[in-house]
């Protein structure tokens, strides 16, 4: 099944021009699943970068705002779209020329997979706590 999921994610990479990578992590930035093209910016797939969205969401909640649903970050050469599907975080990395609306629309396409990953992350989290 893991191979089928990877094939599915890689097929999504080829459907959007400028889409570099889709990364599923837990809230601490630990990678659960990653599909990337060769031109993916390496720093954007490191745990230190991936974990920041979870921290930002937590801080926004402490300020009296609701938990972030998504964040779009624009850089000189690429853009990062992140979805908070607690306990799973989804990071989508694309070129600065990629269609941001199409990247945001991936949330709907990935929803069934995200729901399965939530179960996996919750089980693993429970096992590490015990």
């Amino acid at each position: 099944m893991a191979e089928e999921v990877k094939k599915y994610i890689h097929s999504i990479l080829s459907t959007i021009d400028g889409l570099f990578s889709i990364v599923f992590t837990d809230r601490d930035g630990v990678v659960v699943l990653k599909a990337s093209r060769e031109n993916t910016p390496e720093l954007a797939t490191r745990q230190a970068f991936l974990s920041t969205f979870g921290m930002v969401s937590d801080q926004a909640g402490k300020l009296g705002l609701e938990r972030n649903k998504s964040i779009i970050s624009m850089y000189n050469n690429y853009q990062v779209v992140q979805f908070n599907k607690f306990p799973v975080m989804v990071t989508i990395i694309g070129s600065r020329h990629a269609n941001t609306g199409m990247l945001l629309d991936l949330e709907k396409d990935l929803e069934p997979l995200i729901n399965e990953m939530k179960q996996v992350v919750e089980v693993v989290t429970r096992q590490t706590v015990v």
Side-chain angles (χ1 to χ4, degrees), residues 82-93:
Q82 294 177 295
F83 302 113
N84 183 356
K85 298 294 186 171
F86 188 80
V88 175
M89 305 293 172
V90 182
T91 302
I92 298 171
I93 303 163

Side-chain angles (χ1 to χ4, degrees), residues 8-111:
Y8 174 67
I9 299 297
H10 277 283
S11 72
I12 292 174
L13 288 177
S14 65
T15 62
I16 299 176
D17 288 338
L19 177 56
F20 295 150
S21 185
I22 301 173
V23 185
F24 297 86
T25 64
D26 68 5
R27 65 181 304 255
D28 296 322
V30 176
V31 175
V32 177
L33 176 68
K34 175 172 82 171
S36 298
R37 291 185 176 172
E38 291 179 17
N39 51 354
T40 300
E42 181 186 341
L43 293 175
T45 60
R46 290 190 178 169
Q47 184 177 1
F49 179 82
L50 296 171
S51 65
T52 57
F53 180 49
M55 291 185 294
V56 168
S57 293
D58 289 345
Q59 292 303 313
K62 290 177 183 177
L63 292 172
L65 303 171
E66 292 183 20
R67 179 171 278 159
N68 292 39
K69 294 179 182 178
S70 62
I71 290 181
I72 302 168
S73 303
M74 306 298 278
Y75 299 93
N76 286 336
N77 296 318
Y78 60 94
Q79 59 183 300
V80 178
V81 176
Q82 294 177 295
F83 302 113
N84 183 356
K85 298 294 186 171
F86 188 80
V88 175
M89 305 293 172
V90 182
T91 302
I92 298 171
I93 303 163
S95 76
R96 67 180 178 174
H97 302 292
N99 185 316
T100 306
M102 291 180 79
L103 299 180
L104 288 167
D105 282 346
L106 286 175
E107 180 179 14
K108 290 177 272 189
D109 297 335
L110 296 171
E111 196 68 39

Side-chain angles (χ1 to χ4, degrees), residues 93-129:
I93 303 163
S95 76
R96 67 180 178 174
H97 302 292
N99 185 316
T100 306
M102 291 180 79
L103 299 180
L104 288 167
D105 282 346
L106 286 175
E107 180 179 14
K108 290 177 272 189
D109 297 335
L110 296 171
E111 196 68 39
L113 184 56
I114 292 167
N115 289 332
E116 287 186 37
M117 291 210 184
K118 283 181 182 181
Q119 295 172 1
V120 171
V121 169
E122 288 170 353
V123 167
V124 170
T125 303
R126 275 190 232 122
Q127 289 176 350
T128 55
V129 172

